Structures are given as C-alpha cells and as structure tokens.
Amino acid sequence: YQRRVHGGLTLKTRTPKSIKAVRKFAKHFMKTKDIRIDPKLNKALWARGIKHNETRVRLRMERRRNEDEDALDKLYTVVSWVPVATFKGLKEKKIDVD
C-alpha cells in the first residue's frame, strides 16, 4: 500500500501524527486492534526529524497469529517499510502466504 502521511499539520506534530495515521490505516484495512510498527519504518518516518517527515511511504502489512497465550487478540498486524525509488505507477498487491 501507499500512504500519504504529510500535509495540513503544524510543524511539531507532523511525524507523531503520521505514525498515528499509519496505525489507523493498518487498523482499518487489516481489521486488527494490535498494530506493531517495524523499527525500520519508524526510523524512516523520523529520519528527517519531527518537522520534515516523508510525504509518502510504501507499506507492507502482514497479519500474524499471536503466540502469546494471555493475549486478548488472536491476531496482530506488523507494518513494515518498503523503500522505493519513485511512486509513479505503483499498484497495490495482495500476497497470500500459505
């Protein structure tokens, strides 16, 4: 997926709100409450600081089974960053892993 995470925000809240936007996007599409951000995605969003975050990011979302027996939810989502040179002509792909 591609996600626009920039624009219309005050300077000091851009990167924290973009992380919240990624969580909200993943929660909506993957239908899980537990969203985990990959450290590489977090580093990519914070790379240019709090004011000047990336305009768009390419995301890979995976739904995984929770191995913790005490967990409230059976599934969780891992959101990771996919580096791309350009966003021109990219399409969404659904990959089924068996």
Side-chain angles (χ1 to χ4, degrees):
Y1 291 97
Q2 301 174 73
R3 180 71 184 141
R4 185 171 179 264
V5 293
H6 187 276
L9 302 172
T10 58
L11 291 179
K12 296 288 186 177
T13 63
R14 280 189 181 161
T15 304
K17 287 207 176 188
S18 65
I19 291 174
K20 289 177 187 174
V22 167
R23 284 186 186 276
K24 184 177 177 184
F25 181 76
K27 186 176 180 181
H28 174 75
F29 277 95
M30 301 302 281
K31 309 291 188 224
T32 59
K33 293 179 184 176
D34 189 6
I35 308 296
R36 300 179 188 179
I37 304 284
D38 188 54
K40 289 182 182 179
L41 173 61
N42 193 34
K43 201 169 231 184
L45 289 175
W46 282 97
R48 294 170 53 189
I50 198 166
K51 295 181 188 177
H52 307 288
N53 64 338
E54 294 293 327
T55 306
R56 291 182 184 189
V57 290
R58 180 92 169 156
L59 303 173
R60 176 177 293 130
M61 295 186 285
E62 298 178 56
R63 190 181 301 127
R64 295 184 182 171
R65 188 163 307 281
N66 205 341
E67 295 174 2
D68 186 18
E69 296 167 0
D70 300 332
L72 297 173
D73 301 320
K74 293 180 183 177
L75 301 172
Y76 67 93
T77 301
V78 176
V79 184
S80 57
W81 175 60
V82 180
V84 292
T86 182
F87 288 96
K88 302 283 184 186
L90 290 178
K91 301 290 180 184
E92 295 175 3
K93 288 192 282 184
K94 186 174 183 180
I95 302 169
D96 290 329
V97 179
D98 294 330

XYZ file of all heavy atoms in Angstrom:
820
model
N 0.819 -1.171 0.000
C 0.000 0.000 0.000
C 0.867 1.241 0.000
O 1.970 1.230 0.510
C -0.883 0.034 1.250
C -1.947 -1.020 1.275
C -1.753 -2.206 1.958
C -3.148 -0.824 0.629
C -2.717 -3.170 2.004
C -4.123 -1.780 0.670
C -3.921 -2.953 1.351
O -4.889 -3.897 1.391
N 0.343 2.314 -0.543
C 0.995 3.606 -0.445
C 0.161 4.455 0.500
O -1.061 4.398 0.470
C 1.027 4.304 -1.792
C 1.742 3.539 -2.861
C 1.591 4.233 -4.179
O 2.192 5.252 -4.408
N 0.767 3.673 -5.028
N 0.814 5.234 1.298
C 0.080 6.055 2.254
C 0.668 7.446 2.265
O 1.870 7.624 2.406
C 0.163 5.435 3.651
C -0.563 6.191 4.702
C -2.061 6.077 4.523
N -2.694 6.907 5.522
C -3.746 7.635 5.317
N -4.334 7.645 4.159
N -4.256 8.363 6.269
N -0.177 8.454 2.098
C 0.237 9.842 2.207
C 0.197 10.198 3.692
O -0.843 10.088 4.326
C -0.715 10.731 1.425
C -0.288 12.173 1.388
C -1.163 12.950 0.416
N -0.760 14.330 0.404
C -1.349 15.283 1.128
N -2.364 14.984 1.897
N -0.909 16.522 1.088
N 1.313 10.634 4.237
C 1.386 10.883 5.676
C 1.772 12.314 5.997
O 2.132 12.632 7.114
C 2.388 9.922 6.350
C 1.892 8.503 6.300
C 3.765 10.047 5.741
N 1.693 13.207 5.031
C 2.186 14.560 5.233
C 1.109 15.552 4.824
O 0.304 15.282 3.970
C 3.435 14.763 4.360
C 4.135 16.056 4.595
N 3.753 17.202 3.983
C 5.194 16.368 5.363
C 4.547 18.186 4.359
N 5.435 17.686 5.205
N 1.112 16.706 5.427
C 0.283 17.798 4.941
C -0.782 18.245 5.914
O -1.398 17.446 6.615
N -0.965 19.561 5.982
C -2.036 20.142 6.760
C -1.859 20.083 8.263
O -2.831 20.186 8.998
N -0.642 19.912 8.746
C -0.400 19.773 10.178
C 0.605 20.818 10.645
O 1.435 21.279 9.873
C 0.150 18.376 10.487
C -0.714 17.198 10.076
C 0.057 15.909 10.261
C -1.985 17.166 10.877
N 0.553 21.157 11.913
C 1.553 22.055 12.468
C 2.900 21.347 12.514
O 2.972 20.117 12.530
C 1.157 22.514 13.876
O 1.002 21.368 14.707
C -0.133 23.290 13.856
N 3.943 22.107 12.552
C 5.285 21.546 12.392
C 5.658 20.519 13.446
O 6.222 19.479 13.141
C 6.321 22.674 12.395
C 6.294 23.599 11.184
C 7.348 24.676 11.346
C 6.535 22.834 9.912
N 5.380 20.788 14.698
C 5.835 19.907 15.775
C 5.016 18.639 15.928
O 5.320 17.801 16.752
C 5.836 20.661 17.111
C 6.811 21.798 17.154
C 8.229 21.282 17.220
C 9.198 22.423 17.419
N 10.555 21.989 17.561
N 3.945 18.494 15.163
C 3.123 17.295 15.293
C 3.126 16.436 14.033
O 2.414 15.443 13.980
C 1.662 17.672 15.604
O 1.128 18.427 14.519
C 1.564 18.453 16.887
N 3.916 16.775 13.027
C 3.844 16.058 11.750
C 4.231 14.591 11.860
O 3.484 13.714 11.460
C 4.719 16.746 10.716
C 4.055 17.931 10.110
C 4.830 18.471 8.963
N 4.132 19.641 8.445
C 4.689 20.542 7.693
N 5.955 20.424 7.345
N 3.997 21.567 7.256
N 5.397 14.298 12.387
C 5.836 12.906 12.443
C 5.018 12.070 13.426
O 4.611 10.958 13.083
C 7.336 12.833 12.759
O 8.044 13.590 11.770
C 7.824 11.411 12.723
N 4.703 12.567 14.649
C 3.846 11.757 15.523
C 2.467 11.483 14.916
O 1.945 10.368 15.032
C 3.727 12.598 16.796
C 4.937 13.437 16.813
C 5.245 13.724 15.386
N 1.901 12.467 14.231
C 0.586 12.242 13.616
C 0.685 11.322 12.408
O -0.265 10.608 12.099
C -0.053 13.569 13.250
C -0.536 14.301 14.471
C -1.671 15.214 14.164
C -2.143 15.831 15.469
N -3.354 16.580 15.325
N 1.818 11.325 11.710
C 1.963 10.407 10.584
C 2.054 8.965 11.075
O 1.537 8.051 10.438
C 3.178 10.771 9.737
O 4.367 10.595 10.456
N 2.676 8.749 12.230
C 2.717 7.404 12.816
C 1.311 6.974 13.230
O 0.899 5.833 13.001
C 3.702 7.353 13.991
C 5.132 7.501 13.464
C 3.561 6.060 14.777
C 6.172 7.618 14.510
N 0.552 7.890 13.810
C -0.836 7.585 14.163
C -1.667 7.304 12.924
O -2.545 6.430 12.933
C -1.444 8.743 14.952
C -0.886 8.865 16.349
C -1.466 10.066 17.061
C -0.771 10.293 18.394
N -1.200 11.525 19.039
N -1.396 8.018 11.821
C -2.123 7.787 10.577
C -1.816 6.406 10.008
O -2.711 5.724 9.487
C -1.771 8.864 9.562
N -0.564 5.965 10.116
C -0.186 4.627 9.652
C -0.902 3.571 10.488
O -1.435 2.591 9.957
C 1.351 4.442 9.705
C 1.728 2.988 9.528
C 2.015 5.286 8.647
N -0.952 3.764 11.805
C -1.663 2.823 12.684
C -3.155 2.763 12.343
O -3.746 1.683 12.277
C -1.497 3.229 14.138
C -0.162 2.905 14.721
C -0.157 3.226 16.207
N 1.157 3.069 16.778
C 1.646 1.905 17.193
N 0.923 0.823 17.133
N 2.865 1.839 17.688
N -3.762 3.915 12.126
C -5.184 3.972 11.800
C -5.468 3.297 10.461
O -6.444 2.555 10.313
C -5.633 5.432 11.769
C -7.103 5.625 11.533
C -7.463 7.101 11.587
C -8.921 7.305 11.274
N -9.272 8.734 11.236
N -4.598 3.526 9.477
C -4.729 2.915 8.162
C -4.639 1.395 8.259
O -5.456 0.667 7.689
C -3.620 3.470 7.260
C -3.636 2.955 5.858
C -4.566 3.414 4.946
C -2.707 2.025 5.442
C -4.571 2.947 3.651
C -2.694 1.556 4.149
C -3.637 2.017 3.246
N -3.653 0.905 9.011
C -3.474 -0.540 9.169
C -4.639 -1.160 9.930
O -5.100 -2.250 9.595
C -2.165 -0.828 9.889
N -5.126 -0.470 10.942
C -6.255 -0.978 11.721
C -7.508 -1.100 10.859
O -8.248 -2.069 10.954
C -6.515 -0.049 12.906
C -7.546 -0.537 13.863
C -7.655 0.408 15.047
C -8.683 -0.055 16.036
N -8.814 0.854 17.171
N -7.711 -0.123 9.974
C -8.887 -0.128 9.101
C -8.823 -1.257 8.070
O -9.811 -1.980 7.874
C -9.003 1.224 8.397
C -10.084 1.279 7.373
N -11.413 1.365 7.721
C -10.049 1.254 6.032
C -12.144 1.385 6.618
N -11.333 1.322 5.582
N -7.665 -1.435 7.431
C -7.569 -2.402 6.351
C -7.344 -3.826 6.821
O -7.812 -4.768 6.193
C -6.469 -2.004 5.370
C -6.932 -1.004 4.365
C -6.728 0.339 4.562
C -7.613 -1.405 3.234
C -7.172 1.267 3.668
C -8.067 -0.494 2.320
C -7.849 0.856 2.535
N -6.635 -4.007 7.923
C -6.306 -5.354 8.361
C -7.263 -5.891 9.420
O -7.207 -7.061 9.775
C -4.873 -5.405 8.887
C -3.847 -4.995 7.852
S -3.889 -5.979 6.357
C -3.022 -7.423 6.903
N -8.120 -5.039 9.963
C -9.162 -5.450 10.917
C -8.598 -6.080 12.193
O -9.151 -7.028 12.731
C -10.157 -6.423 10.286
C -10.752 -5.975 8.967
C -11.666 -4.814 9.137
C -12.383 -4.549 7.827
N -12.456 -3.175 7.478
N -7.451 -5.557 12.664
C -6.891 -5.995 13.938
C -6.670 -4.780 14.833
O -6.426 -3.684 14.344
C -5.542 -6.718 13.746
O -4.627 -5.835 13.111
C -5.702 -7.980 12.940
N -6.761 -4.996 16.123
C -6.563 -3.894 17.067
C -5.091 -3.698 17.411
O -4.655 -2.590 17.689
C -7.352 -4.154 18.345
C -8.839 -4.122 18.147
C -9.555 -4.409 19.442
C -11.052 -4.470 19.221
N -11.754 -4.844 20.457
N -4.334 -4.792 17.418
C -2.924 -4.749 17.794
C -2.081 -4.466 16.558
O -1.930 -5.317 15.685
C -2.530 -6.078 18.429
C -1.147 -6.052 19.051
O -0.534 -4.974 19.083
O -0.694 -7.115 19.505
N -1.533 -3.244 16.455
C -0.711 -2.828 15.327
C 0.711 -2.623 15.830
O 0.936 -1.886 16.779
C -1.235 -1.517 14.702
C -2.721 -1.606 14.371
C -0.412 -1.144 13.478
C -3.086 -2.622 13.341
N 1.670 -3.274 15.170
C 3.071 -3.139 15.565
C 3.854 -2.522 14.411
O 3.814 -3.016 13.283
C 3.653 -4.491 15.946
C 2.891 -5.083 17.110
C 3.397 -6.414 17.521
N 2.489 -6.997 18.518
C 2.651 -8.171 19.052
N 3.678 -8.917 18.714
N 1.788 -8.626 19.950
N 4.551 -1.435 14.710
C 5.343 -0.713 13.718
C 6.755 -1.291 13.709
O 7.396 -1.403 14.755
C 5.391 0.792 14.052
C 3.992 1.387 14.159
C 6.235 1.551 13.048
C 3.294 1.638 12.868
N 7.240 -1.646 12.534
C 8.595 -2.159 12.382
C 9.602 -1.040 12.670
O 9.360 0.115 12.328
C 8.770 -2.669 10.943
C 10.069 -3.380 10.733
O 10.349 -4.315 11.497
O 10.803 -3.011 9.796
N 10.725 -1.347 13.319
C 11.712 -0.305 13.619
C 12.254 0.421 12.383
O 12.565 1.605 12.444
C 12.834 -1.061 14.326
C 12.175 -2.254 14.902
C 11.070 -2.616 13.951
N 12.343 -0.272 11.246
C 12.818 0.388 10.022
C 11.820 1.430 9.537
O 12.210 2.494 9.044
C 13.080 -0.646 8.930
C 14.281 -1.501 9.203
C 14.525 -2.464 8.072
C 15.717 -3.356 8.385
N 15.958 -4.324 7.323
N 10.523 1.143 9.657
C 9.504 2.124 9.293
C 9.562 3.316 10.235
O 9.490 4.468 9.801
C 8.107 1.496 9.320
C 6.934 2.455 9.119
C 7.011 3.140 7.769
C 5.621 1.721 9.276
N 9.709 3.064 11.517
C 9.808 4.138 12.490
C 11.022 5.023 12.198
O 10.934 6.252 12.226
C 9.902 3.552 13.894
C 9.705 4.587 14.968
O 8.937 5.524 14.810
N 10.407 4.415 16.068
N 12.137 4.394 11.882
C 13.354 5.142 11.563
C 13.185 5.940 10.271
O 13.679 7.065 10.156
C 14.518 4.172 11.434
C 15.861 4.795 11.603
C 16.921 3.726 11.738
C 17.717 4.056 12.968
N 18.833 3.163 13.180
N 12.494 5.362 9.290
C 12.268 6.069 8.019
C 11.375 7.296 8.225
O 11.599 8.339 7.607
C 11.637 5.125 6.999
N 10.366 7.175 9.088
C 9.480 8.315 9.330
C 10.184 9.414 10.130
O 9.949 10.592 9.902
C 8.217 7.855 10.058
C 7.241 7.023 9.240
C 6.108 6.535 10.117
C 6.696 7.815 8.071
N 11.052 9.031 11.050
C 11.747 10.004 11.897
C 13.080 10.459 11.306
O 13.780 11.273 11.916
C 11.992 9.421 13.281
C 10.779 9.434 14.149
C 9.915 8.404 14.352
C 10.279 10.527 14.927
N 8.911 8.778 15.200
C 9.110 10.090 15.581
C 10.709 11.832 15.126
C 8.373 10.900 16.418
C 9.964 12.651 15.967
C 8.810 12.179 16.600
N 13.472 9.981 10.127
C 14.794 10.257 9.561
C 15.046 11.755 9.354
O 16.157 12.227 9.556
C 14.971 9.517 8.241
N 14.046 12.496 8.977
C 14.226 13.920 8.710
C 13.709 14.794 9.852
O 13.525 15.991 9.680
C 13.527 14.271 7.400
C 14.198 13.585 6.223
C 13.442 13.682 4.944
N 13.097 15.047 4.593
C 12.295 15.361 3.598
N 11.771 14.411 2.853
N 12.004 16.610 3.334
N 13.472 14.199 10.998
C 13.083 14.958 12.170
C 11.581 15.056 12.354
O 10.790 14.438 11.649
N 11.184 15.865 13.335
C 9.771 15.992 13.684
C 9.018 16.883 12.701
O 7.829 16.712 12.474
C 9.621 16.501 15.134
C 8.221 16.231 15.666
C 9.974 17.969 15.253
C 8.104 16.402 17.165
N 9.714 17.827 12.072
C 9.047 18.802 11.207
C 8.934 18.353 9.758
O 7.937 18.617 9.104
C 9.808 20.127 11.229
C 9.824 20.822 12.544
C 10.592 22.107 12.399
C 10.831 22.782 13.715
N 11.631 23.988 13.562
N 9.968 17.701 9.252
C 10.057 17.444 7.808
C 10.012 15.953 7.514
O 10.991 15.379 7.045
C 11.348 18.042 7.259
C 11.523 19.482 7.599
N 10.771 20.463 7.021
C 12.333 20.094 8.483
C 11.131 21.635 7.516
N 12.075 21.439 8.426
N 8.885 15.335 7.784
C 8.805 13.892 7.538
C 8.537 13.614 6.063
O 8.317 14.523 5.259
C 7.753 13.238 8.427
C 6.359 13.725 8.134
O 6.164 14.784 7.580
N 5.386 12.953 8.502
N 8.582 12.360 5.704
C 8.355 11.954 4.319
C 6.934 12.274 3.887
O 5.998 12.235 4.687
C 8.598 10.451 4.171
C 10.025 10.028 4.396
C 10.961 10.548 3.330
O 10.545 10.677 2.166
O 12.115 10.830 3.676
N 6.782 12.577 2.605
C 5.455 12.878 2.074
C 4.635 11.605 1.911
O 3.464 11.573 2.265
C 5.581 13.585 0.714
O 6.431 14.709 0.871
C 4.232 14.044 0.230
N 5.258 10.570 1.374
C 4.586 9.285 1.173
C 5.503 8.162 1.611
O 6.721 8.292 1.569
C 4.253 9.065 -0.304
C 3.212 9.963 -0.833
C 2.946 9.624 -2.258
N 1.992 10.577 -2.797
C 1.430 10.454 -3.977
N 1.738 9.437 -4.741
N 0.570 11.343 -4.403
N 4.898 7.069 1.990
C 5.658 5.861 2.313
C 4.966 4.671 1.666
O 3.756 4.667 1.472
C 5.798 5.620 3.834
C 6.699 6.635 4.465
C 4.474 5.590 4.518
N 5.757 3.684 1.327
C 5.227 2.425 0.807
C 5.236 1.444 1.969
O 6.265 1.266 2.626
C 6.124 1.930 -0.326
C 5.689 0.642 -0.939
C 4.801 0.852 -2.111
N 4.613 -0.393 -2.814
C 3.571 -0.625 -3.578
N 2.672 0.294 -3.737
N 3.449 -1.761 -4.184
N 4.089 0.810 2.216
C 3.931 -0.047 3.382
C 3.682 -1.488 2.982
O 3.040 -1.761 1.977
C 2.753 0.421 4.229
C 2.779 1.853 4.738
C 1.465 2.177 5.406
C 3.923 2.046 5.686
N 4.171 -2.402 3.809
C 3.823 -3.818 3.711
C 3.180 -4.192 5.036
O 3.770 -3.983 6.091
C 5.057 -4.670 3.463
C 4.724 -6.160 3.445
C 5.928 -7.009 3.137
N 6.348 -6.774 1.766
C 7.601 -6.497 1.406
N 8.545 -6.421 2.310
N 7.912 -6.294 0.144
N 1.975 -4.728 4.975
C 1.258 -5.099 6.193
C 1.045 -6.605 6.208
O 0.567 -7.170 5.232
C -0.073 -4.361 6.256
C 0.097 -2.870 6.386
S -1.424 -1.972 6.643
C -2.149 -2.024 5.021
N 1.397 -7.216 7.318
C 1.241 -8.659 7.489
C 0.401 -8.929 8.728
O 0.663 -8.370 9.787
C 2.589 -9.334 7.704
C 3.558 -9.218 6.584
C 4.867 -9.884 6.957
O 4.830 -11.082 7.308
O 5.895 -9.197 6.920
N -0.586 -9.779 8.573
C -1.382 -10.216 9.722
C -0.779 -11.516 10.225
O -0.600 -12.464 9.462
C -2.831 -10.431 9.303
C -3.751 -10.647 10.476
C -5.187 -10.872 10.045
N -5.718 -9.762 9.284
C -6.286 -9.878 8.077
N -6.361 -11.054 7.496
N -6.760 -8.838 7.460
N -0.449 -11.550 11.513
C 0.189 -12.729 12.095
C -0.605 -13.231 13.287
O -1.309 -12.471 13.937
C 1.609 -12.384 12.556
C 2.543 -12.024 11.434
C 3.921 -11.789 11.946
N 4.828 -11.387 10.881
C 6.043 -10.964 11.081
N 6.509 -10.867 12.328
N 6.812 -10.611 10.074
N -0.434 -14.521 13.564
C -1.097 -15.127 14.707
C -0.298 -14.818 15.969
O 0.920 -14.920 15.998
C -1.205 -16.629 14.511
C -2.053 -17.312 15.559
C -2.482 -18.685 15.129
N -3.142 -18.756 13.844
C -4.416 -18.444 13.626
N -5.157 -17.992 14.610
N -4.952 -18.563 12.434
N -0.999 -14.436 17.017
C -0.365 -14.087 18.287
C -0.022 -15.369 19.037
O -0.888 -16.184 19.335
C -1.304 -13.207 19.111
C -0.579 -12.337 20.081
O 0.566 -12.589 20.413
N -1.245 -11.304 20.535
N 1.249 -15.544 19.347
C 1.694 -16.766 20.022
C 1.572 -16.674 21.532
O 1.671 -17.678 22.219
C 3.140 -17.063 19.627
C 3.280 -17.382 18.156
C 4.724 -17.540 17.741
O 5.606 -17.437 18.601
O 4.950 -17.779 16.552
N 1.368 -15.483 22.049
C 1.208 -15.297 23.483
C -0.165 -15.812 23.899
O -1.189 -15.386 23.376
C 1.361 -13.812 23.839
C 1.355 -13.581 25.330
O 1.578 -14.555 26.072
O 1.138 -12.431 25.740
N -0.208 -16.722 24.846
C -1.476 -17.339 25.252
C -2.362 -16.383 26.042
O -3.577 -16.532 26.072
C -1.191 -18.588 26.072
C -0.481 -19.658 25.268
C 0.080 -20.745 26.147
O -0.081 -20.665 27.372
O 0.675 -21.684 25.596
N -1.758 -15.401 26.704
C -2.518 -14.459 27.515
C -3.016 -13.252 26.721
O -3.632 -12.350 27.293
C -1.661 -13.955 28.681
C -1.217 -15.104 29.570
O -1.957 -16.108 29.623
O -0.150 -15.003 30.195
N -2.765 -13.206 25.434
C -3.141 -12.047 24.624
C -4.656 -11.967 24.455
O -5.356 -12.980 24.384
C -2.479 -12.132 23.260
N -5.144 -10.743 24.378
C -6.577 -10.529 24.189
C -7.005 -10.842 22.759
O -8.095 -11.361 22.532
C -6.932 -9.083 24.530
C -6.678 -8.659 25.986
C -6.917 -7.173 26.136
C -7.575 -9.446 26.915
N -6.162 -10.511 21.788
C -6.487 -10.717 20.383
C -5.705 -11.904 19.825
O -4.561 -12.139 20.201
C -6.149 -9.469 19.574
C -6.909 -8.253 20.064
O -8.099 -8.410 20.391
O -6.313 -7.156 20.113
N -6.320 -12.628 18.906
C -5.657 -13.779 18.303
C -4.650 -13.349 17.244
O -3.677 -14.045 16.982
C -6.687 -14.703 17.661
C -7.610 -15.370 18.643
C -8.589 -16.251 17.925
C -9.578 -16.870 18.893
N -10.589 -17.672 18.192
N -4.897 -12.218 16.597
C -4.056 -11.762 15.503
C -3.488 -10.383 15.787
O -4.075 -9.600 16.527
C -4.864 -11.705 14.201
C -5.502 -13.005 13.739
C -6.417 -12.737 12.573
C -4.437 -14.005 13.352
N -2.345 -10.091 15.177
C -1.781 -8.747 15.211
C -1.222 -8.430 13.834
O -1.015 -9.309 13.006
C -0.718 -8.603 16.297
C 0.541 -9.394 16.102
C 1.639 -8.840 15.465
C 0.648 -10.696 16.561
C 2.804 -9.562 15.293
C 1.806 -11.417 16.401
C 2.882 -10.844 15.754
O 4.033 -11.557 15.586
N -0.995 -7.148 13.578
C -0.500 -6.696 12.287
C 0.871 -6.072 12.460
O 1.085 -5.256 13.342
C -1.458 -5.666 11.669
O -2.739 -6.263 11.514
C -0.966 -5.191 10.320
N 1.789 -6.463 11.583
C 3.120 -5.866 11.535
C 3.177 -4.990 10.293
O 2.927 -5.457 9.182
C 4.231 -6.933 11.477
C 5.594 -6.288 11.325
C 4.179 -7.802 12.698
N 3.489 -3.711 10.487
C 3.590 -2.767 9.376
C 5.061 -2.472 9.151
O 5.758 -2.029 10.052
C 2.833 -1.454 9.674
C 2.864 -0.536 8.475
C 1.415 -1.740 10.084
N 5.545 -2.748 7.944
C 6.947 -2.521 7.634
C 7.078 -1.589 6.435
O 6.135 -1.376 5.675
C 7.670 -3.846 7.372
O 7.029 -4.551 6.337
N 8.267 -1.045 6.263
C 8.568 -0.056 5.240
C 9.181 -0.731 4.031
O 10.055 -1.590 4.163
C 9.514 0.972 5.825
C 10.030 2.006 4.893
C 9.295 2.902 4.182
C 11.394 2.274 4.580
N 10.111 3.714 3.462
C 11.407 3.353 3.688
C 12.592 1.715 4.983
C 12.586 3.880 3.183
C 13.761 2.245 4.483
C 13.751 3.312 3.598
N 8.752 -0.341 2.828
C 9.319 -0.853 1.589
C 9.943 0.338 0.855
O 9.219 1.230 0.406
C 8.241 -1.508 0.700
C 8.846 -2.026 -0.583
C 7.531 -2.605 1.451
N 11.267 0.399 0.763
C 11.886 1.528 0.057
C 11.656 1.423 -1.447
O 11.821 0.361 -2.044
C 13.373 1.402 0.404
C 13.566 -0.004 0.820
C 12.257 -0.499 1.343
N 11.253 2.542 -2.052
C 11.040 2.606 -3.500
C 11.725 3.864 -4.024
O 11.851 4.860 -3.318
C 9.547 2.615 -3.875
C 8.890 1.300 -3.565
C 8.810 3.745 -3.203
N 12.143 3.812 -5.291
C 12.786 4.970 -5.903
C 11.756 6.032 -6.255
O 11.965 7.218 -6.046
C 13.559 4.531 -7.138
N 10.626 5.602 -6.797
C 9.576 6.537 -7.187
C 8.215 5.906 -6.925
O 8.079 4.682 -6.892
C 9.710 6.938 -8.669
O 8.692 7.873 -8.990
C 9.603 5.736 -9.588
N 7.215 6.747 -6.761
C 5.861 6.259 -6.505
C 5.017 6.207 -7.778
O 3.848 5.872 -7.736
C 5.172 7.151 -5.465
C 5.716 6.959 -4.085
C 6.694 7.792 -3.591
C 5.271 5.928 -3.294
C 7.202 7.611 -2.319
C 5.780 5.731 -2.023
C 6.747 6.575 -1.540
N 5.597 6.543 -8.910
C 4.873 6.557 -10.178
C 4.518 5.141 -10.607
O 5.368 4.252 -10.665
C 5.711 7.213 -11.275
C 6.131 8.617 -10.979
C 5.002 9.568 -11.181
C 5.521 10.977 -10.963
N 4.498 11.953 -11.004
N 3.258 4.905 -10.886
C 2.819 3.637 -11.440
C 2.747 2.475 -10.473
O 2.578 1.338 -10.903
N 2.858 2.707 -9.189
C 2.773 1.610 -8.232
C 1.321 1.211 -8.005
O 0.434 2.051 -7.950
C 3.394 2.005 -6.898
C 4.903 2.177 -6.871
C 5.341 2.622 -5.490
C 5.586 0.888 -7.232
N 1.090 -0.058 -7.871
C -0.245 -0.591 -7.613
C -0.216 -1.416 -6.337
O 0.828 -1.912 -5.925
C -0.721 -1.477 -8.776
C -0.791 -0.776 -10.100
C -1.904 0.222 -10.120
C -1.949 0.907 -11.480
N -2.930 1.935 -11.533
N -1.384 -1.579 -5.736
C -1.492 -2.415 -4.544
C -1.440 -3.878 -4.956
O -2.003 -4.275 -5.966
C -2.803 -2.131 -3.828
C -2.899 -0.737 -3.284
C -4.263 -0.452 -2.674
O -5.099 -1.362 -2.623
O -4.469 0.680 -2.247
N -0.741 -4.669 -4.149
C -0.652 -6.109 -4.402
C -1.070 -6.834 -3.145
O -0.647 -6.489 -2.046
C 0.765 -6.529 -4.762
C 1.203 -6.103 -6.108
C 2.478 -6.785 -6.517
C 3.660 -6.144 -5.841
N 4.941 -6.688 -6.255
N -1.900 -7.842 -3.310
C -2.279 -8.697 -2.191
C -1.543 -10.016 -2.354
O -1.660 -10.679 -3.385
C -3.782 -8.916 -2.180
C -4.267 -9.656 -0.985
C -5.764 -9.716 -0.940
C -6.244 -10.408 0.316
N -7.691 -10.463 0.367
N -0.772 -10.374 -1.333
C 0.028 -11.586 -1.385
C -0.515 -12.569 -0.364
O -0.612 -12.260 0.813
C 1.509 -11.270 -1.092
C 2.035 -10.246 -2.081
C 2.333 -12.527 -1.111
C 3.382 -9.698 -1.710
N -0.882 -13.755 -0.825
C -1.350 -14.811 0.080
C -0.180 -15.725 0.410
O 0.473 -16.275 -0.477
C -2.465 -15.622 -0.569
C -3.732 -14.825 -0.706
O -3.967 -13.957 0.148
O -4.485 -15.066 -1.666
N 0.101 -15.858 1.692
C 1.167 -16.738 2.152
C 0.532 -17.948 2.804
O -0.250 -17.829 3.729
C 2.092 -15.995 3.152
C 3.166 -16.943 3.637
C 2.666 -14.763 2.519
N 0.875 -19.110 2.308
C 0.312 -20.342 2.862
C 1.268 -20.997 3.802
O 2.408 -21.001 3.760
C -0.094 -21.304 1.755
C -1.258 -20.729 0.948
O -2.054 -19.976 1.520
O -1.347 -21.062 -0.256
